[in-house]
């Protein structure tokens, strides 16, 4: 057995590693065939990915394994089940694509290689063969700028920080929270090379970062070239764009690609999205068509086997139609653009699922709707669909949604939801009983229902900037609960009643915390409606009682989430600090980590729009950030009422309006606290998982008495 297979088996299956016999056939068809005899599982597969996918499919089918980011984080089996006959599977999707640019920062920016290694194994087990591979691209741009006359300081100032680099790659920003030294640049390069090496060892098709013309403004002065200024994105400074029709575009682009090949190697699939969420410097179809030809010819001249990978999110038809169909792969992030654009005019497309914006952890997802399978739908409707993809902005939430989506990546058929959810429960918790079954039936009719909400617009009243009735959380999430809370609370009751049978189930322990967290979060919103009504009546006694209860509810929510390391701010901060190589880098990473999940935008000014976009109901973040804001709010309301002053209730979260509210006294106080919190430096003890059942029972009883 070769080293790649042997290492994979020992990393993931421990004492059972020698019980698998793997043979790679090399056939072109994506396929595996598994047999079992005499305690040995024999896997014949066309390539490494199909072998590893076959192993996981066997473990799911015959050993009830469920592997997740949220509980069940390692494979645990008592024995390998033997079976008669063959278990086989063929996968029609040539490409199974993984990651949105945003995923790299909202969830992965503090991962070391040990964590990446675990994720790459997880990708392979789920059949993924085309991951985004842009870690380390900071060094490519940095050295290219040096070659064009930038000083080290100037080049560094053109690089965005670790929590925001994804948006520079998408051409939205330049040099936000830049690194203090080039040491960071080469640390990222070293990590990226290790990741890319493993992708290649596994036989994946990595998508590397291409060049679309996005450059620092300073390039205009350094090279005496013309740049076009893009309008500022969400309150950030304007960015510069080289005109792809300018001869200098190819000069700089080839220099960039050569640097990529020198530092990391070149593997044919290159991503770029010209004018992504921006404006082309010139109008008209003729210009856009010329842009498409210019960028495509850049890649083809550099490498005749190159394929341009483009997100359909903000694509332009005239750019697309300028490129040969064998030289472009379109990623339809939410599988909606294909139907809206004549099946992408015959271009090869990947059918995607985009479930989460910002890494937020509300329980939600249209499970039955997903079972219809976007790949199957697009293919049936005549699209040239060549793959499936997962393009969530953040992971580590809603494990049921992703278990289903990973299964959809490698099937071309609809999934029978009723059969699937029963199997999921068995794998997730190790057994199936009436209380768990009842709980899931109720959740499917509440938080996981198929109608009445946008999948990416579910918010949190807890994480909203305080007001009488929270309307939204940050710029795009609605705080109002979109389902009948009584149905959800009945689900929570059934889940708690099941606890005696599932104490030692890691999946159950995580889900129990998540369900109680969501129950309390829902209660916070409805209690706030009562608070607003009491305010209208100027019922001071009632207001004091509700505010007291609300603050206790926040502390209780913080407490239940502290039972799981996946839901702790300390894990996020510790991962950032542990990735740093010295004290200065720790403080730099700490600022990035805190800013991303709170203010998001420019911490040196108030001219930004994405505040609270990446909210998380996490232990530590609730107690130290959201609790403080709400406590300030309740004190302000009571002070105004008792003194007879007018309380200005402003929609602090409405998109693009927050800066106006900073002009008011209370809004300014909130802003000052938020800035102080982002600049705070604190080291935490590592969070540990603990039995959540006693606390969950107590909290359910307290809030349902």
């Amino acid at each position: 057995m070769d080293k790649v297979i042997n290492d994979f088996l020992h990393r993931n299956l421990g004492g059972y590693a020698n019980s698998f016999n793997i043979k790679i056939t090399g056939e072109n068809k994506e396929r595996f065939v598994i047999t079992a005899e005499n305690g040995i599982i024999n896997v014949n597969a066309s390539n490494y990915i199909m072998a590893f996918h076959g192993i996981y499919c066997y473990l799911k089918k015959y050993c009830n394994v469920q592997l997740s980011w949220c509980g069940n984080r390692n494979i645990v089996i008592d024995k390998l089940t033997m079976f008669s006959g063959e278990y086989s599977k063929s996968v029609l999707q040539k490409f199974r694509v993984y990651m949105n640019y945003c995923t790299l920062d909202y969830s992965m920016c503090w991962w070391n290689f040990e964590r990446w290694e675990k994720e790459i194994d997880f990708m392979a087990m789920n059949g993924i063969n085309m991951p985004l591979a842009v870690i380390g691209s900071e060094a490519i741009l940095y050295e290219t700028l040096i070659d064009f006359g930038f000083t080290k300081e100037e080049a560094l100032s053109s690089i965005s920080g670790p929590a925001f680099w994804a948006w520079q790659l998408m051409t939205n920003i330049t040099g936000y929270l830049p690194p203090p030294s080039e040491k960071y640049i080469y640390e990222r390069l070293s990590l990226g090379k290790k990741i890319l090496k493993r992708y290649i060892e596994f036989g994946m098709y990595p998508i590397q970062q291409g060049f679309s013309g996005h450059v620092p403004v300073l390039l205009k002065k350094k090279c005496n070239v013309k740049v076009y200024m893009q309008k500022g994105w969400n309150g950030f400074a304007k960015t510069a764009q080289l005109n792809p029709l300018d001869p200098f575009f190819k000069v700089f682009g080839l220099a960039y690609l050569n640097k990529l090949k020198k530092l990391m190697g070149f593997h044919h699939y290159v991503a770029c999205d010209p004018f992504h969420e921006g404006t082309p410097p010139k109008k008209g179809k003729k210009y856009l068509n010329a842009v498409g030809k210019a960028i495509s010819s850049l890649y083809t001249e550099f490498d005749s086997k190159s394929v341009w990978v483009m997100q359909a999110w903000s694509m332009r038809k005239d750019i697309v139609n300028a490129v040969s169909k064998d030289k472009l792969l379109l990623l339809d992030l939410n599988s909606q653009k294909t139907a809206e654009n004549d099946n992408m005019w015959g271009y090869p497309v990947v059918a995607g699922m985009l479930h989460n914006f910002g890494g937020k952890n509300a329980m939600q997802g249209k499970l039955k709707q997903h079972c219809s399978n976007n790949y199957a739908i697009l293919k049936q409707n005549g699209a040239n669909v060549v793959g499936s993809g997962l393009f969530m902005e953040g992971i580590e939430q809603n494990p049921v949604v992703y278990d289903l989506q990973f299964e959809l990546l490698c099937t071309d058929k609809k999934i029978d939801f009723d059969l699937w959810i029963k199997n999921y429960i068995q794998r997730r918790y190790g057994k199936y009983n009436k209380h768990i079954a009842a709980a899931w039936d109720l959740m499917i009719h509440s938080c996981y229902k198929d109608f009445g909400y946008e999948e990416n617009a579910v918010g949190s009243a807890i994480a909203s900037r305080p007001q009488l009735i929270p309307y939204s959380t940050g710029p795009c999430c609605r705080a109002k609960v979109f389902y009948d809370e009584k149905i959800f609370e009945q689900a929570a009751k059934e889940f708690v009643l099941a606890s005696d049978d599932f104490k030692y189930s890691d999946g159950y322990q995580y889900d129990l915390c998540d369900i109680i967290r969501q129950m309390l979060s829902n209660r916070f919103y409805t209690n706030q409606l009562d608070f607003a009504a009491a305010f209208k009546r100027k019922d001071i006694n009632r207001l004091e009682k509700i505010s007291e209860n609300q603050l206790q509810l926040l502390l209780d929510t913080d407490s239940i989430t502290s039972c799981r390391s996946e839901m702790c701010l300390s894990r996020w901060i510790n991962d950032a600090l542990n990735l740093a190589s010295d004290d200065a880098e720790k403080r730099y990473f700490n600022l990035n980590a805190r800013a991303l999940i709170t203010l998001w935008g420019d911490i040196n000014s108030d001219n930004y729009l994405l505040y609270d976009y990446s909210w998380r109901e996490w232990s530590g973040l609730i107690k130290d950030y959201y609790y403080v804001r709400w406590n300030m709010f309740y004190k302000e309301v009571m002070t105004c009422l008792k003194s007879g002053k007018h309380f200005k209730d402003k929609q602090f979260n409405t998109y693009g309006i927050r800066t106006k509210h900073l002009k008011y006294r209370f809004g300014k106080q909130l802003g000052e606290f938020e800035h102080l919190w982002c600049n705070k430096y604190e080291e935490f003890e590592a969070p540990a998982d603990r039995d959540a059942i006693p606390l969950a029972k107590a909290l359910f009883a307290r809030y349902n008495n």
Side-chain angles (χ1 to χ4, degrees), residues 502-542:
F502 297 98
K503 180 176 181 179
Y504 300 106
S505 165
D506 195 50
Y508 175 83
Q509 288 276 355
Y510 176 91
D511 289 352
L512 178 64
C513 287
D514 207 20
I515 287 168
I516 298 300
R517 174 204 59 76
Q518 189 66 60
M519 182 190 80
L520 296 178
S521 181
N522 294 348
R523 280 292 184 93
F524 190 87
Y525 176 78
T526 53
N527 290 349
Q528 202 56 34
L529 298 180
D530 292 340
F531 186 89
F535 175 82
K536 189 174 182 180
R537 299 192 308 269
K538 297 185 178 180
D539 186 341
I540 293 177
N541 291 334
R542 180 65 179 153

Side-chain angles (χ1 to χ4, degrees), residues 25 27-34 43-47 49-51 53-55 57 86-96 126-127 129 373 375 379 386 388 406-413:
T25 65
E27 62 181 314
N28 289 329
K29 191 174 183 180
E30 296 283 287
R31 187 168 183 260
F32 67 74
V33 179
I34 301 177
V43 182
N44 283 9
S46 50
N47 51 53
I49 297 299
M50 289 308 298
H53 181 51
I55 290 169
C57 287
E86 290 185 348
Y87 171 43
S88 64
K89 181 178 180 180
S90 295
V91 176
L92 295 186
Q93 293 96 323
K94 178 179 179 180
F95 301 121
R96 287 86 68 188
N126 283 293
N129 66 357
N373 195 340
Y375 172 86
K379 196 170 187 68
V386 296
S388 298
F406 281 129
E407 193 152 324
L408 286 163
L409 279 179
C410 293
T411 183
D412 57 313
K413 298 178 175 60

Side-chain angles (χ1 to χ4, degrees), residues 150-164:
F150 281 60
T151 66
K152 289 183 177 181
E153 292 73 20
E154 290 168 340
L156 281 174
S157 68
S158 303
I159 306 292
S160 292
F164 301 94

Side-chain angles (χ1 to χ4, degrees), residues 331-379:
L331 307 180
D332 191 351
L333 302 191
N334 57 7
S335 291
Q336 293 178 4
K337 296 292 184 179
T338 305
E340 295 170 1
N341 292 279
D342 298 325
N343 280 335
M344 296 297 195
W345 316 289
Y347 281 82
V349 63
V350 170
M353 191 281 287
L354 175 55
H355 165 262
N356 181 276
F357 283 169
K360 298 164 286 203
N361 61 329
M363 291 180 68
Q364 55 91 17
K366 300 182 179 183
L367 296 178
K368 289 185 178 180
Q369 188 177 107
H370 291 315
C371 283
S372 59
N373 195 340
N374 287 329
Y375 172 86
I377 292 170
L378 294 185
K379 196 170 187 68

